[in-house]
Amino acid sequence: MADAPYALYYWPGIPGRGEFVRLVLEQAGAAYDDVARRPKEDGGGIPAMMRCLAGEGPGLRPLAPPVLVHGERRLAQMPNVCAYLAARHGLVPSDEGTRAEALQLQLTVADLVAETHDTHHPVGKGLYYEEQKEQALAYARQFVDQRMPKFLRYLESVVRANAAGGGRHLVGDGLSYVDLAMDQVLRGLEYAFGRAYAHYAPELPGLVALREHVDALPAIAAYRASERCLPFDEHGIFRRYPELDLLPASE
Amino acid sequence: MADAPYALYYWPGIPGRGEFVRLVLEQAGAAYDDVARRPKEDGGGIPAMMRCLAGEGPGLRPLAPPVLVHGERRLAQMPNVCAYLAARHGLVPSDEGTRAEALQLQLTVADLVAETHDTHHPVGKGLYYEEQKEQALAYARQFVDQRMPKFLRYLESVVRANAAGGGRHLVGDGLSYVDLAMDQVLRGLEYAFGRAYAHYAPELPGLVALREHVDALPAIAAYRASERCLPFDEHGIFRRYPELDLLPASE
């Protein structure tokens, strides 16, 4: 789809932060060129992404992927790209105040993503996990005992407050990009921290129901059954390392 | 100013992430109630902030400060609050694409703030610095050698690209909330990592000029000379620990 209105640039081997953008594009039914997923011989691969980061393209040079090119704009930062697409495709309410609430929640989900990443890279983003395993274990312990439940209980309270107003989403009256991101994080946490996920899930009925709802959306289900969707593995954000998959300490 | 249109809730003892919001409010000339800075007996202090986080107030319950209450909205996440205020007070261009560029840069500045924070808290956000000094030294080494220059060189390239278009800001034709945030980060880095700041500053003339410009804005200068502005110290994000103030390794 080299003539699609959107071009996405992201690491071709992992779902990572690119997946949050893909879910918005897929739910919107928008055509997009997932550039680095195309073969190198076809102008794709990591070299294409690196050219985009080095300066090639319209608009502002980005620091890091995911990057979305749309006409004369080259946008980065996952929550920003998702919010931009959502506004164009009816995946966020149009009033300024509700959009600010949605962005607030998306940034909170992004913070949870960043802390999940840091469970295997607490000390050095330029080092391998194998070089920081001891620190990773300490980080994972406080993540599983304190940070993961803090974030998830907060987000559960948000979906419950929405439910009290008659909704079943995180913000507003209908599906938004924030719900798509929440779904992806819950799947990632279950993959990487399966014991903690199972431990906390019973107190998170609102989030679990939201996840079931998003997983069953026809466009999302079709995407995940396709070859376009990459599985989680131990090169991305959500990694299943048995030694870090800790059972939470009793509170 | 208990009848001000805006109420800000943030830790009363440190500039922290609240300072980015304050700079927007001060440059906008907006009246605001810095609630937790008022005495407890006057309804302020940390208890007032905790009540706001626990649920008391309009709109969405926030997870963490800074929080801005404006009418029926209670907004959190620093870049989100700054963007919301900037849109209301002419501190960001009005077109959707430029606003997305501004948010992208603000999120990049916020990432730099988060990594700066992690130099003294790499392993546990619930632990003291003294409990993770060894890991902090390892984190600070890669921060000073790799991450700090990566961010600053990128942001320098952005201000230079703007200058090539005739501007002297990070985005658009005039001052935006992103410039205010950049100024605060440069001041914080100079405070916490003075040796690295001095090392890299000569290759960052665009950022240094931007900082001088923002520092000299009458509203900003007056604010910083006032008692409303808190100094950096070793309880906030930017901490001066001599053992972490490393000279960058030669490249």
Side-chain angles (χ1 to χ4, degrees):
Chain A
M1 289 208 225
D3 59 347
Y6 299 113
L8 173 66
Y9 294 81
Y10 193 69
W11 298 104
I14 59 168
R17 286 180 172 81
E19 198 68 3
F20 298 92
V21 180
R22 289 192 189 97
L23 290 177
V24 180
L25 289 163
E26 294 283 345
Q27 178 60 23
Y32 63 102
D33 180 12
D34 204 340
V35 180
R37 293 287 301 278
R38 286 196 275 117
K40 264 191 253 189
E41 310 79 61
D42 187 24
I46 291 176
M49 191 188 77
M50 289 303 178
R51 286 195 298 275
C52 175
L53 295 177
E56 197 175 283
L60 202 62
R61 183 170 78 84
L63 180 62
V67 179
L68 182 84
V69 173
H70 177 224
E72 291 306 304
R73 297 287 170 190
R74 183 166 39 154
L75 299 175
Q77 287 281 2
M78 178 277 275
N80 182 50
V81 173
C82 290
Y84 177 84
L85 285 169
R88 293 180 51 83
H89 292 281
L91 285 168
V92 66
S94 59
D95 73 282
E96 187 187 30
T98 310
R99 284 198 177 171
E101 289 188 343
L103 182 60
Q104 169 181 332
L105 293 172
Q106 186 80 358
L107 292 172
T108 302
V109 170
D111 284 345
L112 175 54
V113 171
E115 292 195 25
T116 306
H117 172 273
D118 287 352
T119 57
H120 48 78
H121 276 75
V123 178
K125 291 182 172 51
L127 303 173
Y128 290 103
Y129 165 62
E130 287 70 20
E131 298 175 272
Q132 48 192 311
K133 287 183 75 165
E134 191 183 337
Q135 298 94 329
L137 185 61
Y139 193 102
R141 171 49 68 197
Q142 59 90 37
F143 178 77
V144 159
D145 287 351
Q146 297 167 35
R147 302 295 293 178
M148 180 174 158
K150 181 183 173 84
F151 277 101
L152 293 181
R153 287 171 183 154
Y154 169 71
L155 292 159
E156 173 72 16
S157 80
V158 173
V159 77
R160 283 193 202 182
N162 189 277
R168 60 173 179 173
H169 299 93
L170 280 163
V171 66
D173 298 330
L175 184 77
S176 77
Y177 69 105
V178 187
D179 298 318
L180 300 174
M182 188 76 243
D183 174 79
Q184 178 68 9
V185 168
L186 290 173
R187 292 166 65 96
L189 288 174
E190 185 177 39
Y191 176 82
F193 295 98
R195 299 176 79 190
Y197 187 88
H199 179 84
Y200 293 119
E203 54 173 302
L204 308 169
L207 292 181
V208 170
L210 178 62
R211 175 181 166 184
E212 287 169 1
H213 173 67
V214 172
D215 282 351
L217 292 169
I220 298 301
Y223 163 66
R224 287 199 170 126
S226 77
E227 290 192 348
R228 298 193 301 285
C229 181
L230 292 164
F232 294 120
D233 71 11
E234 282 56 63
H235 299 281
I237 294 167
F238 300 102
R239 304 186 185 187
R240 178 178 283 162
Y241 291 129
E243 64 274 22
L244 300 185
D245 183 11
L246 303 168
L247 190 67
S250 300
E251 292 164 282
Chain B
M1 290 208 230
D3 59 347
Y6 298 112
L8 174 67
Y9 293 81
Y10 194 69
W11 298 104
I14 58 169
R17 286 181 173 80
E19 198 67 3
F20 298 93
V21 179
R22 288 192 189 98
L23 290 176
V24 180
L25 289 162
E26 294 282 345
Q27 178 60 24
Y32 63 102
D33 179 12
D34 204 340
V35 180
R37 294 286 302 278
R38 286 196 274 117
K40 264 191 251 189
E41 311 77 63
D42 187 24
I46 291 176
M49 191 188 78
M50 290 304 179
R51 286 195 297 274
C52 176
L53 295 177
E56 198 175 281
L60 202 62
R61 183 170 76 84
L63 179 61
V67 179
L68 182 84
V69 173
H70 177 223
E72 290 307 305
R73 298 287 170 190
R74 181 166 41 154
L75 299 175
Q77 286 281 1
M78 178 278 275
N80 181 51
V81 173
C82 290
Y84 177 84
L85 285 169
R88 293 180 51 83
H89 292 281
L91 285 169
V92 67
S94 59
D95 74 281
E96 188 186 28
T98 310
R99 283 198 179 172
E101 289 188 343
L103 182 60
Q104 169 180 332
L105 293 172
Q106 185 80 356
L107 291 173
T108 301
V109 170
D111 285 346
L112 175 53
V113 171
E115 292 196 23
T116 306
H117 171 273
D118 287 352
T119 57
H120 48 79
H121 277 75
V123 178
K125 292 180 172 52
L127 304 174
Y128 289 104
Y129 165 63
E130 288 70 21
E131 299 174 273
Q132 48 191 311
K133 287 183 76 164
E134 190 184 337
Q135 297 94 327
L137 185 61
Y139 193 103
R141 171 48 70 197
Q142 59 90 37
F143 178 77
V144 159
D145 287 353
Q146 298 167 34
R147 301 295 291 179
M148 179 175 159
K150 181 182 173 84
F151 277 101
L152 293 181
R153 286 170 184 156
Y154 169 71
L155 292 159
E156 173 72 15
S157 80
V158 173
V159 78
R160 284 193 203 183
N162 188 277
R168 60 172 179 174
H169 300 93
L170 279 164
V171 66
D173 298 329
L175 183 77
S176 77
Y177 69 105
V178 187
D179 299 317
L180 300 174
M182 187 77 241
D183 174 80
Q184 178 68 8
V185 168
L186 291 172
R187 292 166 66 97
L189 288 173
E190 185 176 39
Y191 175 82
F193 295 99
R195 299 175 78 191
Y197 186 88
H199 179 84
Y200 293 119
E203 53 174 302
L204 308 168
L207 293 181
V208 170
L210 178 63
R211 175 182 165 182
E212 288 168 0
H213 173 67
V214 171
D215 282 351
L217 292 169
I220 298 300
Y223 163 66
R224 288 200 170 124
S226 77
E227 290 192 347
R228 298 192 301 286
C229 181
L230 292 164
F232 293 121
D233 70 12
E234 283 55 62
H235 299 281
I237 294 167
F238 299 102
R239 303 187 185 186
R240 179 178 283 163
Y241 291 129
E243 64 274 22
L244 300 185
D245 184 12
L246 303 168
L247 190 67
S250 300
E251 292 165 283

